[in-house]
Amino acid sequence: MIFRDNPVLIRELLVNLRSNRAFTLQFLYVTFLGVVVYFAWPNEGKLVSADLAQRLFNMFFLGQFFLVALVAPSFAAGSITGEKERKTYEMLLASPLHPTSILVGKLLSSLTYLVLLILSSLPLVIICFLLGGILLSEIARAYLILILAAGTFGLLSLACSSYFNRTSSALVVSYLVILPLAVICVVLTQTREVVLRDFVSIAVLPPWCLTIWSVVILLVNRRLLRPPDVGSEGKEVVDEEQEMKYAIGVVIDRDLFPDKLFAPAKRTDLMPDGTNPVLDKELRSEIFSQGTLMLRVVIQVSMLLSIPLMAFLLFLKPENAGYYVSYVITFNLLVGPVFSAGSITQERERQTLQLLLTTLLTPGKIVFAKLLAALRVSTVLTFLLTEQLLLAYLLIPELRDRVWTLGVFLLIIATTCLATSTIGLLCSALSRKTSVAMVVTYMVLLILFVGPVGVRKYLEGFGAMSYEKIEALTITSPYSAAFSIPMKPSQLSVISAGDALAAEQAMKVTLIPGLGLPVWAVFLLLYPILAVILYGATYLAFRIRWWKAGEGG
């Protein structure tokens, strides 16, 4: 009954695998991999070195591994929260199905499509095997790691889904838990030490993954068997004072700094004249109507990770400041869409969008309030992680002498916050469901932020283009912008020594052809313009719905 004739599994598979989105995504995925192989395939009479073939295989593995890490939560994090949002959670628990059957059905339905995507790439990987330099044992090891990662990441996302009431909350916490594990796994399995790599892949990862599976299954099974969150009809809004009595770790006090920057106190008096009621509602009530559990988990996990990263990337190796900035950017990439991608879709899901459209507020005020609220919360949370960066620039002489780089880093982070919020808001205006808007937002951000970095690594390996032209392809990525700032030890030493000629040579960076500017300067000029365009598109999309509401009235 658990695996065969499982009604939850059958229903979820019929809904997911028969949708047009499933076929479209698989087609695009296989087509993209086919294009990569086509351009990497050698010309007639051209020999391919084993190192080149190994680089192509590693790129395939890393791409699919991070695909698993990013897509698994998008499928599994909404498996139980979706039932809660549709008000069918209690009906599911009241059915004669055992909690284990529900758990297995939800998990397998979430991972079946992901495993299907992974296996779709196997024929192309076998074709790459014909290039030489790759062993069949390496291919088997890579796919074993991918399957173990899919099961582990899916179960962790399912556990987050059982502990939260909103898909957006479960999704962002899943990413915060999964991405550090994914990075550790890549570091251990991609090391050049063959003995260590094989030992970790065969002897360490399988038992550890099975242990994690057992623990998570027991926790989720117990929560489904004795659910503490049933009978919640009409009680969706959480009493924060009651919640704080049992809070562990960080406690959010709306009256203290910096908490009041992203969570101002609830209003107890009348709003002053000229106040935007949508902005006031979003900041004081809407974002935190489900309590502060998700927010507290996000802050605690991000701060916990920032401590070792600060010690290693800033104090031990000051030239790696760009890596710490990349960590801050990744945090905003994960958290930013949570507050913007559901701004408009949640109004539609609560069936309050028509009511909002028929108020005296203009569409411009509504859209601006939604953007400002999401941007304010995500920006404040992101800049909480820059305290370590400021501390490093105050204490480390090498960084203190180059304080201008701190200003550029902060501008890159602020521009990234603006980009994630505007893209999420546009996806929210164009989508009907919050889950769809979240997934689309993450996909767009991955294409703009992460995609150019992967393309650069790919092209650098084949040497088909000049370095300047390759860098021109990365102007949409804040990661490339952060790493384009000169922070090498030789550059730091010559500048601190006061050698003007050597400093001038050290400060020489790669300029984008046709623009004469480095990547970080083009990035800072590009995204404010793009944000205005995206905001205008969001306004037009929302105004069209406003016109339709007026005609319907």
Side-chain angles (χ1 to χ4, degrees):
M1 183 65 178
I2 294 180
F3 295 97
R4 189 181 64 181
D5 298 331
N6 189 321
V8 176
L9 177 60
I10 294 174
R11 186 260 176 192
E12 295 286 342
L13 288 179
L14 289 175
V15 172
N16 294 332
L17 297 183
R18 287 186 177 181
S19 63
N20 295 329
R21 183 180 61 180
F23 290 100
T24 303
L25 181 59
Q26 185 178 9
F27 173 77
L28 294 176
Y29 177 65
V30 176
T31 301
F32 173 75
L33 293 180
V35 170
V36 172
V37 174
Y38 175 79
F39 284 103
W41 197 262
N43 298 325
E44 295 182 3
K46 181 180 178 181
L47 297 178
V48 179
S49 65
D51 182 65
L52 189 61
Q54 188 68 41
R55 188 183 296 115
L56 179 62
F57 175 72
N58 290 337
M59 185 184 67
F60 261 76
F61 170 75
L62 291 175
Q64 292 189 94
F65 185 84
F66 282 106
L67 173 74
V68 171
L70 294 170
V71 174
S74 66
F75 284 107
S79 55
I80 297 179
T81 54
E83 301 285 350
K84 297 177 182 179
E85 291 170 345
R86 293 189 298 268
K87 310 299 182 184
T88 57
Y89 181 55
E90 297 181 15
M91 295 174 60
L92 180 63
L93 295 179
S95 66
L97 291 173
H98 192 273
T100 305
S101 299
I102 300 175
L103 172 62
V104 172
K106 291 292 187 181
L107 177 64
L108 293 182
S109 62
S110 302
L111 298 182
T112 298
Y113 184 70
L114 182 59
V115 174
L116 183 63
L117 287 179
I118 295 173
L119 296 180
S120 298
S121 65
L122 186 57
L124 294 173
V125 175
I126 296 299
I127 292 177
C128 295
F129 171 74
L130 300 177
L131 294 175
I134 306 173
L135 301 176
L136 286 176
S137 59
E138 292 182 300
I139 297 177
R141 180 181 63 87
Y143 277 86
L144 172 64
I145 295 173
L146 290 175
I147 298 299
L148 290 175
T152 304
F153 298 160
L155 269 173
L156 291 174
S157 302
L158 192 65
C160 294
S161 184
S162 66
Y163 278 87
F164 290 94
N165 294 324
R166 284 185 178 179
T167 302
S168 57
S169 301
L171 192 62
V172 68
V173 174
S174 299
Y175 279 131
L176 286 175
V177 174
I178 287 172
L179 286 184
L181 296 178
V183 172
I184 294 174
C185 183
V186 168
V187 171
L188 295 177
T189 57
Q190 291 296 107
T191 178
R192 294 184 179 273
E193 297 291 336
V194 179
V195 176
L196 176 61
R197 182 182 62 194
D198 293 340
F199 175 75
V200 171
S201 303
I202 299 174
V204 176
L205 282 182
W208 270 100
C209 289
L210 292 177
T211 302
I212 294 175
W213 293 4
S214 302
V215 173
V216 174
I217 288 174
L218 288 176
L219 292 176
V220 178
N221 200 19
R222 180 186 300 177
R223 190 168 181 86
L224 294 177
L225 187 62
R226 299 178 179 86
D229 49 358
V230 296
S232 59
E233 294 293 337
K235 302 178 183 178
E236 288 83 0
V237 179
V238 176
D239 186 355
E240 291 185 20
E241 294 182 1
Q242 187 69 20
E243 183 191 36
M244 289 306 170
K245 293 181 180 180
Y246 306 98
I248 299 176
V250 174
V251 176
I252 297 177
D253 191 336
R254 291 174 177 262
D255 296 322
L256 297 179
F257 180 87
D259 299 0
K260 61 182 180 181
L261 293 178
F262 61 88
K266 290 186 176 181
R267 187 174 295 281
T268 58
D269 55 353
L270 296 177
M271 287 187 297
D273 294 339
T275 302
N276 191 321
V278 177
L279 177 60
D280 194 81
K281 185 262 295 185
E282 291 285 335
L283 287 176
R284 299 180 185 272
S285 300
E286 177 63 29
I287 294 177
F288 308 100
S289 62
Q290 294 289 329
T292 61
L293 176 60
M294 183 272 290
L295 199 62
R296 289 187 286 109
V297 172
V298 167
I299 295 174
Q300 292 177 101
V301 173
S302 60
M303 288 295 182
L304 181 63
L305 292 175
S306 68
I307 295 175
L309 291 175
M310 173 186 65
F312 181 73
L313 298 178
L314 294 177
F315 286 89
L316 295 181
K317 296 183 177 181
E319 68 274 12
N320 287 336
Y323 286 95
Y324 184 83
V325 174
S326 297
Y327 165 70
V328 179
I329 292 171
T330 303
F331 173 82
N332 182 258
L333 187 149
L334 298 177
V335 174
V338 175
F339 300 106
S340 60
S343 297
I344 298 176
T345 53
Q346 288 178 0
E347 300 282 356
R348 184 181 293 107
E349 291 170 345
R350 293 193 301 264
Q351 298 181 355
T352 58
L353 181 60
Q354 295 297 327
L355 180 63
L356 182 63
L357 293 172
T358 54
T359 61
L360 297 178
L361 294 172
T362 62
K365 287 186 176 181
I366 297 175
V367 173
F368 182 75
K370 295 284 188 180
L371 175 62
L372 191 59
L375 181 62
R376 174 174 171 175
V377 177
S378 64
T379 302
V380 172
L381 291 178
T382 302
F383 270 82
L384 289 178
L385 299 178
T386 61
E387 296 177 356
Q388 292 82 349
L389 193 64
L390 297 175
L391 183 63
Y393 271 84
L394 287 175
L395 299 180
I396 301 176
E398 293 89 342
L399 295 178
R400 196 186 311 131
D401 294 336
R402 313 198 63 211
V403 69
W404 71 271
T405 59
L406 173 63
V408 177
F409 281 140
L410 295 179
L411 284 176
I412 292 175
I413 295 172
T415 305
T416 304
C417 295
L418 178 63
T420 55
S421 297
T422 51
I423 293 173
L425 189 64
L426 176 60
C427 294
S428 183
L430 298 177
S431 304
R432 293 186 175 276
K433 293 183 179 180
T434 301
S435 57
V436 175
M438 292 275 292
V439 172
V440 172
T441 303
Y442 281 125
M443 294 302 294
V444 172
L445 291 176
L446 287 176
I447 293 173
L448 293 176
F449 291 2
V450 183
V453 179
V455 172
R456 181 181 63 183
K457 293 294 183 182
Y458 171 75
L459 294 177
E460 285 178 353
F462 293 95
M465 298 174 60
S466 65
Y467 185 75
E468 290 77 10
K469 292 182 179 180
I470 294 176
E471 286 292 295
L473 299 176
T474 65
I475 58 175
T476 62
S477 173
Y479 298 104
S480 297
F483 287 117
S484 67
I485 301 174
M487 298 292 294
K488 294 181 180 179
S490 59
Q491 298 166 340
L492 295 176
S493 60
V494 297
I495 292 175
S496 60
D499 190 339
L501 180 60
E504 183 179 355
Q505 293 294 327
M507 289 293 293
K508 187 177 181 180
V509 296
T510 304
L511 302 180
I512 302 300
L515 296 177
L517 297 173
V519 175
W520 60 264
V522 178
F523 174 83
L524 294 178
L525 293 174
L526 173 65
Y527 268 96
I529 299 174
L530 182 60
V532 173
I533 296 174
L534 294 176
Y535 175 79
T538 305
Y539 171 77
L540 290 177
F542 194 80
R543 189 170 182 85
I544 290 174
R545 300 186 185 279
W546 184 68
W547 283 333
K548 291 181 178 180
E551 293 174 358

